[in-house]
Amino acid sequence: MRKITIAIDGFSSCGKSTMAKDLARKIGYVYVDTGAMYRAVTLFALRNGLFADDGSVKAEELESRMDEVNVSFRFNAETGRPDTYLNGELVESEIRSMEVSNHVSPIAAIPFVRTAMVAQQQQMGRDKGIVMDGRDIGTTVFPDAELKIFVTASAEVRAERRYKELLGKGMEANYDEILKNVQERDYLDSHREVSPLKKADDALELDNSYMTIDEQNQWLLDQYHRAAAE
């Protein structure tokens, strides 16, 4: 089996990160959650008052402080998955809050933020043997990836998953608010000027609306074996 790059793109709350983490662990690859990187930048902006009262980003101030933002991942032996760190601080739970979810799309649409994060991502994947998920991995970060997957599911199904996930973590959750957030993020992610969310021409589409986790994991593993053997 040759070592390859696996790019998994798709809409928010499709379970991309979970399936990417599971696949990476199963085949011994490095996993990078690019969405967590943009969430970490968003958390930095929220903590430092870099959003205006109307919810817009104070872009000039953020740009002047981007060199203060260092996002890294460390393997968690208990969960078997990597955790996200912002400037050396564990923020894995904090970046999954609804406050961050409600602010991440405008941050992720800013060109200088994407440039900084894409450069970090490409550096992480220079030696292949990596599974990376996000919005523009197969189109911008790794356009030559040997395996590209585009994941989709209905907005209602995704909102229900997110709702249950937050409740399971003991966090407050409102289904209608989450559904609205999912729909707004879909629009913003698909219509931003820089690296909009779209399916790469050579990506395989996976609609997992009514698939079990075991079914989607097996499908993904089959695609990996096919691509790595070519």
Side-chain angles (χ1 to χ4, degrees):
M1 287 282 186
R2 62 174 178 155
K3 191 181 287 189
I4 65 173
T5 297
I6 301 172
I8 301 179
D9 291 312
F11 293 95
S12 66
S13 302
C14 274
K16 300 185 304 298
S17 297
T18 300
M19 71 172 71
K21 290 172 186 174
D22 289 343
L23 177 64
R25 186 173 66 247
K26 195 169 296 183
I27 64 179
Y29 274 27
V30 174
Y31 165 72
V32 176
D33 178 359
T34 63
M37 298 175 74
Y38 292 104
R39 285 175 171 272
V41 177
T42 303
L43 180 61
F44 176 87
L46 286 166
R47 287 178 169 181
N48 289 278
L50 300 179
F51 283 95
D53 291 340
D54 63 358
S56 61
V57 183
K58 298 177 182 177
E60 288 187 9
E61 291 183 42
L62 177 59
E63 185 170 18
S64 71
R65 300 188 63 177
M66 278 302 293
D67 59 354
E68 299 176 36
V69 181
N70 178 263
V71 184
S72 59
F73 298 93
R74 299 180 196 172
F75 186 74
N76 184 325
E78 290 186 10
T79 63
R81 293 173 175 175
D83 286 333
T84 309
Y85 286 74
L86 172 61
N87 298 328
E89 175 194 351
L90 175 62
V91 294
E92 184 63 35
S93 294
E94 213 169 341
I95 62 171
R96 309 296 174 183
S97 69
M98 277 306 297
E99 183 181 24
V100 170
S101 293
N102 287 331
H103 289 84
V104 66
S105 285
I107 288 284
I110 297 173
F112 65 78
V113 173
R114 299 205 70 83
T115 297
M117 294 299 104
V118 167
Q120 288 190 35
Q121 292 155 16
Q122 290 174 332
Q123 180 68 16
M124 292 174 185
R126 68 188 186 281
D127 297 323
K128 295 188 180 291
I130 193 167
V131 182
M132 193 173 288
D133 76 279
R135 302 288 192 278
D136 62 347
I137 311 306
T139 54
T140 300
V141 184
F142 295 121
D144 297 323
E146 292 85 353
L147 177 59
K148 300 178 186 179
I149 307 294
F150 189 86
V151 191
T152 185
S154 73
E156 290 75 17
V157 166
R158 289 181 283 134
E160 181 69 19
R161 290 174 181 168
R162 182 79 174 135
Y163 174 72
K164 290 179 178 177
E165 177 188 5
L166 291 172
L167 289 182
K169 292 180 178 178
M171 301 171 73
E172 291 187 8
N174 177 286
Y175 173 80
D176 291 333
E177 179 186 349
I178 294 170
L179 177 59
K180 182 172 180 287
N181 172 256
V182 166
Q183 293 169 332
E184 289 177 347
R185 288 183 65 189
D186 285 353
Y187 181 84
L188 290 170
D189 290 343
S190 301
H191 290 79
R192 66 184 179 219
E193 289 186 24
V194 181
S195 300
L197 169 65
K198 63 180 180 180
K199 177 185 173 185
D201 292 338
D202 54 347
L204 302 173
E205 183 167 324
L206 171 65
D207 185 333
N208 66 4
S209 295
Y210 303 106
M211 295 177 75
T212 65
I213 291 177
D214 286 342
E215 287 172 341
Q216 71 179 17
N217 284 350
Q218 185 58 55
W219 182 88
L220 194 57
L221 187 61
D222 290 343
Q223 304 313 314
Y224 157 71
H225 284 307
R226 177 192 56 76
E230 289 180 355

